[in-house]
């Protein structure tokens, strides 16, 4: 039972159901619950979450304050939920983990614990997030939603065969399941199964997945296959058709479009790649100046590098050092500082700083496929600094992990001692 009216509970439940399944309209449903009952603590907490991590226009501090206020009259489970959200948004996920241990069927917070399309996950404790999902699995039985979430866990653990089996089983029961589709997309990419992955993604995007919120992320996955295969004409066509900044929802313009443009611009043979100025405009000054998660801060830093904004990188680094979140202070801030020399042409300086930071980049949150953007900047910096042996070693490690014609072209450039523009 929820401490609210029947009508507000129905709206909230529908919104959470859509949010955890990555369906469109979730935030609007949750907001409607608050229209029906402004004293509903869980509604305020849920809106604070989506404002914090998804760049939805929400007064996050205000929603958190109202959630704390109204939780006083709620049940123990609801008070625990609000406390977990409150502490998580302050950069401390201990309460979230404790809440999920006690209430594993809290699907919203279980989703928050994992690096999914909607949420960045537990940046400083991804293994604990994976463990929480595994521990919660018995409480969900054969629910295809949980199978999809667990499939992503297996992908991040690099157990790709299990990830593919779980995701396919989930999609058979629920063809439009966003988590399962996301896990399958990662399994295809991480195993170098680019042609099949691209074919499947295009079919899913235009059929069962058409109602998924943040569909640009799946377009990003498809474009990543095309980029890896070296089909730059296809990347351009997909960008123009599906990934322009105005096509994205909230932070997706930064996380999907921005990261694709940067990776495209680094690719051997790439020409006339659009800049990222429109991306920064699309996400807005609030996100650029004060990214709420280390994951967003990583993408802001990359966009500022791409636009040559050294002053912006310095402002970002300073702001990150003031945050409670250790991942902001210890990883995102140093990343912004590491990229700054490259703006001035000191590519060796950036390469060395990124090498020192490499063991910590997992703390930025998100997935392996997203964080490898930082590694690609390091490779480009090494090649521009005429340090091909080091660049080649990084590329050899990548090619040992999966097939990539793009990395093979990069490796050839390193082998000939060529600079990458």
């Amino acid at each position: 039972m929820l401490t609210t009216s029947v009508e507000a509970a129905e709206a909230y439940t529908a919104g959470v159901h859509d949010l955890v399944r990555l369906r469109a309209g979730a935030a609007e449903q949750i907001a409607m619950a608050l229209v029906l009952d402004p004293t509903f603590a869980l509604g305020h907490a849920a809106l604070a979450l989506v404002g914090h991590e998804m760049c939805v226009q929400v007064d996050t501090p205000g929603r958190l304050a109202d959630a704390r206020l109204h939780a006083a009259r709620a049940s123990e489970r609801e008070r625990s939920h609000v406390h977990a959200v409150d502490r998580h948004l302050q950069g401390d996920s201990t309460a979230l983990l404790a809440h999920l241990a006690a209430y594993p069927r809290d699907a919203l917070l279980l989703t928050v614990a994992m690096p999914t399309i909607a949420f960045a996950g537990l940046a400083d404790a991804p293994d604990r997030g994976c463990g929480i999902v595994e521990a919660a699995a018995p409480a969900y039985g054969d629910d295809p939603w949980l199978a999809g979430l667990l499939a992503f866990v297996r992908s991040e653990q690099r157990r790709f065969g299990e990830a593919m089996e779980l995701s396919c089983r989930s999609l058979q029961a629920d063809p439009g399941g966003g988590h399962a589709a996301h896990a399958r997309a990662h399994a295809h990419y991480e195993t170098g199964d680019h042609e099949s992955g691209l074919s499947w993604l295009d079919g899913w995007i235009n059929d069962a997945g058409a109602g998924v919120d943040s569909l640009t992320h799946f377009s990003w996955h498809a474009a990543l296959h095309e980029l890896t295969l070296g089909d730059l004409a296809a990347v351009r066509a997909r960008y123009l058709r599906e990934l322009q900044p105005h096509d994205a929802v909230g932070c997706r313009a930064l996380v999907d479009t921005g990261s694709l443009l940067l990776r495209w611009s680094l690719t051997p043979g790439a020409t006339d790649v659009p800049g990222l100025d429109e991306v920064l405009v699309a996400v807005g000054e609030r996100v650029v100046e004060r990214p709420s998660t280390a994951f967003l801060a990583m993408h802001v830093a990359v966009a500022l590098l791409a636009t040559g904004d050294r002053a912006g990188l310095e402002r970002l680094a300073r702001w990150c050092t003031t945050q409670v979140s250790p991942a902001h202070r210890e990883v995102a801030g140093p990343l912004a500082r590491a990229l700054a020399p490259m703006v001035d042409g000191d590519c060796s300086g950036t390469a060395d700083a990124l090498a020192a930071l490499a063991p910590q980049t997992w703390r930025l949150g998100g997935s392996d496929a997203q964080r490898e953007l930082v590694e690609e900047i390091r490779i480009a910096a090494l090649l521009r600094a005429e340090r091909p042996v080091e660049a080649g070693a990084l590329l050899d490690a990548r090619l040992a992990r999966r097939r990539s014609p793009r990395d093979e072209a990069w490796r050839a450039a390193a082998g000939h001692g060529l600079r990458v523009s």
Side-chain angles (χ1 to χ4, degrees), residues 74-136:
S75 67
E76 172 57 34
R77 181 183 183 278
E78 290 170 301
R79 289 195 298 273
S80 175
H81 177 108
V82 168
H83 178 62
V85 171
D86 186 16
R87 295 311 307 152
H88 178 65
L89 268 56
Q90 309 307 318
D92 176 9
S93 295
T94 304
L96 179 83
L97 293 166
H99 174 84
L100 286 170
Y103 305 103
R105 284 192 62 84
D106 190 329
L108 175 55
L109 295 196
L110 191 62
T111 306
V112 169
M114 284 301 300
T116 63
I117 298 172
F119 301 103
L122 304 181
D124 278 311
D127 290 342
R128 294 175 72 186
C130 291
I132 284 288
V133 174
E134 292 175 321

Side-chain angles (χ1 to χ4, degrees), residues 1 11 13 29 57 75 81 166 179 237-238 254 270 363 375 380 388:
M1 294 292 292
T13 301
Q29 288 272 26
Q57 292 300 308
S75 67
H81 177 108
L166 281 165
H179 288 302
R238 191 174 300 273
L254 183 66
R363 297 173 60 193
E375 182 180 66

Side-chain angles (χ1 to χ4, degrees), residues 299-380:
H299 285 87
V300 170
V302 167
L304 293 172
L305 168 68
T307 55
D309 188 351
R310 175 162 190 147
L313 284 166
E314 292 172 348
R315 285 195 303 273
L316 176 63
R318 287 195 300 271
W319 183 82
C320 285
T321 62
T322 68
Q323 299 309 292
V324 174
S325 159
H328 269 98
R329 297 195 314 272
E330 299 167 13
V331 191
L335 173 63
R337 290 194 188 92
L339 297 181
M342 197 168 179
V343 174
D344 296 332
D346 180 8
C347 294
S348 265
T350 286
D352 290 339
L354 291 180
L357 193 60
Q360 298 297 317
T361 54
W362 62 268
R363 297 173 60 193
L364 292 165
S367 66
D368 287 340
Q370 290 169 314
R371 291 188 301 270
E372 71 180 10
L373 170 63
V374 177
E375 182 180 66
E376 295 190 358
I377 294 171
R378 181 180 166 197
I379 291 168

Side-chain angles (χ1 to χ4, degrees), residues 43-415:
H44 289 291
L47 276 188
L49 271 174
V50 298
H52 178 76
E53 299 217 29
M54 299 169 67
C55 303
V56 175
Q57 292 300 308
V58 170
D59 175 11
T60 300
R63 297 286 67 73
L64 272 179
D66 284 344
R68 288 191 294 265
L69 173 66
H70 299 302
R73 70 184 186 89
S75 67
E76 172 57 34
R77 181 183 183 278
E78 290 170 301
R79 289 195 298 273
S80 175
H81 177 108
V82 168
H83 178 62
V85 171
D86 186 16
R87 295 311 307 152
H88 178 65
L89 268 56
Q90 309 307 318
D92 176 9
S93 295
T94 304
L96 179 83
L97 293 166
H99 174 84
L100 286 170
Y103 305 103
R105 284 192 62 84
D106 190 329
L108 175 55
L109 295 196
L110 191 62
T111 306
V112 169
M114 284 301 300
T116 63
I117 298 172
F119 301 103
L122 304 181
D124 278 311
D127 290 342
R128 294 175 72 186
C130 291
I132 284 288
V133 174
E134 292 175 321
Y140 289 83
D142 60 358
D143 190 325
W145 175 81
L146 193 284
L149 200 62
L150 189 58
F152 188 79
V153 169
R154 295 290 178 254
S155 179
E156 287 298 287
Q157 293 170 335
R158 301 189 178 182
R159 294 159 64 176
F160 301 119
E162 294 172 64
M164 183 64 77
E165 190 276 329
L166 281 165
S167 62
C168 289
R169 186 203 312 165
S170 178
L171 287 165
Q172 185 174 18
D174 179 13
H179 288 302
H182 188 216
R184 179 168 176 176
H186 275 270
H188 280 296
Y189 176 70
E190 296 292 356
T191 57
D193 187 19
H194 303 298
E195 293 86 355
S196 296
L198 178 59
S199 176
W200 174 78
L201 269 169
D202 274 334
W204 187 83
I205 288 169
N206 292 299
D207 187 10
V212 169
D213 197 15
S214 304
L215 199 57
T216 52
H217 189 64
F218 292 95
S219 294
W220 174 83
H221 271 284
L224 202 57
H225 282 304
E226 292 163 340
L227 192 67
T228 304
L229 290 168
D231 191 349
L232 302 187
V235 173
R236 187 179 304 279
R238 191 174 300 273
Y239 166 76
L240 293 172
R241 186 176 66 248
E242 301 170 14
L243 279 163
Q244 293 192 63
H246 58 73
D247 293 327
V249 177
C251 300
R252 302 254 63 97
L254 183 66
V255 173
D256 298 327
T257 303
S259 67
L260 173 69
L261 290 175
L262 193 282
R263 291 168 89 152
W264 180 7
S265 72
L266 298 178
T267 302
T271 58
D272 300 322
V273 179
L276 273 74
D277 298 273
E278 289 185 31
V279 169
L280 293 174
V281 171
V283 297
E285 183 178 344
R286 178 179 65 88
V287 174
V288 174
E289 296 291 336
R290 299 178 297 281
S292 57
T293 66
F295 178 69
L296 285 177
M298 172 184 77
H299 285 87
V300 170
V302 167
L304 293 172
L305 168 68
T307 55
D309 188 351
R310 175 162 190 147
L313 284 166
E314 292 172 348
R315 285 195 303 273
L316 176 63
R318 287 195 300 271
W319 183 82
C320 285
T321 62
T322 68
Q323 299 309 292
V324 174
S325 159
H328 269 98
R329 297 195 314 272
E330 299 167 13
V331 191
L335 173 63
R337 290 194 188 92
L339 297 181
M342 197 168 179
V343 174
D344 296 332
D346 180 8
C347 294
S348 265
T350 286
D352 290 339
L354 291 180
L357 193 60
Q360 298 297 317
T361 54
W362 62 268
R363 297 173 60 193
L364 292 165
S367 66
D368 287 340
Q370 290 169 314
R371 291 188 301 270
E372 71 180 10
L373 170 63
V374 177
E375 182 180 66
E376 295 190 358
I377 294 171
R378 181 180 166 197
I379 291 168
L382 286 167
L383 288 171
R384 293 178 189 181
E386 300 182 358
R387 295 164 61 179
V389 174
E390 294 161 86
L394 289 173
L395 288 161
D396 285 341
R398 286 162 64 97
L399 287 166
R401 204 162 63 240
R402 63 170 170 265
R403 181 177 67 94
S404 170
R406 174 178 180 250
D407 282 358
E408 289 168 2
W410 237 354
R411 186 65 182 86

